[in-house]
């Protein structure tokens, strides 16, 4: 993998009132890399993910995307969000629009693509996530796993440089989790740059280039999956793994 930093966080700090939720965070994600962020609840994982496309502002430090600092607001910020797609825990689809319309909306409105062209591309993406036959349905007619796959197709429709996933399977029934993770695994194999906050350790082991373990607002470990799962260095990581890997 070429050493080509796409996302860089340097000395990033974030507070909610008195609570110091991100403490001196340094993180580099290279192009084509899959970085999985894990850790106990309240460790700052989701906040970290949300700072990368400025859904959360930071108090200090710098975040750059493709060598450029994140814009503050306005049109430049909207432009940033087209380059960094986000998939949330809740699918955030428009209930009154069809699956196809959900995927095509942003390319038409933001990228100014012609509707026909956007729809053609959207159908390709729906096929890619295994939902070619669902284009004319409404979100309520789909399972949670299918809705989340539509959300992934929608994020891909903007041709982003990177995708952020904030616990994309935590709202799903257990039998639906794998269908979403499988789509994410294929994206990883295709070279999509991804930052994934998840509790799914199997995905972290099999799809990640690096595992970032957070605790108390800090990055405690940042290593290959093999090293992290087999040879954790910190007591905090050993304790975390002993609790989750027993089940």
């Amino acid at each position: 993998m070429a050493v080509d930093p796409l996302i860089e966080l340097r000395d990033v700090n974030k507070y909610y009132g008195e609570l110091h939720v991100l403490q001196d965070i340094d993180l580099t994600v290279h192009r084509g890399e899959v970085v999985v962020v894990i850790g106990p609840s309240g460790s700052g994982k989701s906040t970290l993910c949300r700072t990368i496309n400025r859904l959360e502002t930071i108090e200090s430090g710098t975040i750059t995307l493709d060598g450029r600092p994140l814009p503050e607001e306005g049109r430049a910020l909207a432009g940033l969000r087209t380059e960094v797609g986000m998939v949330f825990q809740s699918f955030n689809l428009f209930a009154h629009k069809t699956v196809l319309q959900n995927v095509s909306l942003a390319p038409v409105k933001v990228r100014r693509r012609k509707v026909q062209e956007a729809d053609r591309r959207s159908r390709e993406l729906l096929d890619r996530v295994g939902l070619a036959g669902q284009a004319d349905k409404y979100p309520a007619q789909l399972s949670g796993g299918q809705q989340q796959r539509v959300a992934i197709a929608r994020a891909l429709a903007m041709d982003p440089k990177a995708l952020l996933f904030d616990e994309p399977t935590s709202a799903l029934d257990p039998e639906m989790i794998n269908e979403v993770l499988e789509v994410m695994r294929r994206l990883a194999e295709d070279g999509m740059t991804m930052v994934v906050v998840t509790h799914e350790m199997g995905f972290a082991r099999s799809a990640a280039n690096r595992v970032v373990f957070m605790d108390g607002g800090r990055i405690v470990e940042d290593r290959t999956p093999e090293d992290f799962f087999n040879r954790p260095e910190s007591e905090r990581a050993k304790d975390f793994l002993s609790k989750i890997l027993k089940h």
Side-chain angles (χ1 to χ4, degrees):
M1 186 181 304
V3 180
D4 188 3
L6 183 63
I7 299 163
E8 292 188 273
L9 289 79
R10 287 290 166 268
D11 206 20
V12 167
N13 285 274
K14 163 83 183 166
Y15 293 85
Y16 292 129
E18 297 288 294
L19 189 63
H20 196 173
V21 284
L22 293 179
Q23 302 186 35
D24 306 322
I25 296 290
D26 286 322
L27 179 67
T28 301
V29 180
H30 296 100
R31 206 176 299 272
E33 197 169 33
V34 178
V35 174
V36 172
V37 184
I38 63 174
S41 294
S43 57
K45 308 182 299 289
S46 288
T47 305
L48 172 71
C49 191
R50 294 166 69 90
T51 61
I52 296 173
N53 71 347
R54 223 169 179 286
L55 285 172
E56 298 278 2
T57 56
I58 59 174
E59 267 65 50
S60 65
T62 58
I63 303 177
T64 56
L65 176 73
D66 217 358
R68 299 196 310 271
L70 293 199
E72 292 290 317
E73 54 199 28
R75 188 168 290 178
L77 182 57
L80 162 81
R81 292 203 177 125
T82 65
E83 296 189 349
V84 182
M86 183 115 188
V87 178
F88 300 90
Q89 185 173 335
S90 53
F91 326 122
N92 296 4
L93 299 174
F94 293 111
H96 60 287
K97 293 190 182 296
T98 65
V99 164
L100 185 67
Q101 289 167 334
N102 265 284
V103 179
S104 290
L105 184 68
V108 171
K109 291 265 191 247
V110 181
R111 295 265 196 230
R112 303 278 180 239
R113 294 208 177 120
K114 292 191 172 71
V115 173
Q116 261 179 315
E117 181 196 338
D119 281 355
R120 183 183 56 75
R121 170 88 173 123
S122 295
R123 286 184 191 279
E124 284 172 10
L125 291 169
L126 287 169
D127 186 38
R128 188 171 170 186
V129 299
L131 294 172
Q134 312 293 332
D136 299 322
K137 290 191 175 168
Y138 288 86
Q141 295 173 281
L142 302 183
S143 71
Q146 289 173 320
Q147 289 187 58
Q148 192 59 295
R149 286 185 282 152
V150 172
I152 293 172
R154 178 181 60 182
L156 289 170
M158 298 301 282
D159 299 319
K161 292 177 178 174
L163 281 183
L164 310 174
F165 293 85
D166 187 9
E167 301 200 6
T169 58
S170 59
L172 299 177
D173 292 335
E175 70 269 21
M176 294 174 189
I177 288 173
N178 275 338
E179 66 191 57
V180 173
L181 293 178
E182 191 48 46
V183 167
M184 292 167 62
R185 278 195 188 93
R186 289 205 303 270
L187 288 175
E189 286 164 9
D190 291 344
M192 173 59 76
T193 308
M194 293 159 59
V195 177
V196 183
V197 175
T198 187
H199 295 288
E200 297 296 328
M201 296 301 136
F203 179 82
R205 275 179 186 265
S206 64
N209 299 105
R210 281 164 43 218
V211 172
V212 169
F213 174 70
M214 291 187 71
D215 186 48
R218 295 181 180 277
I219 292 177
V220 181
E221 301 203 20
D222 178 349
R223 305 167 66 212
T224 66
E226 187 190 359
D227 283 347
F228 177 75
F229 285 106
N230 297 333
R231 294 176 289 281
E233 287 176 343
S234 62
E235 287 308 314
R236 194 61 197 88
K238 286 174 191 168
D239 182 50
F240 176 79
L241 288 171
S242 73
K243 285 178 178 147
I244 58 162
L245 297 178
K246 275 179 184 156
H247 299 300

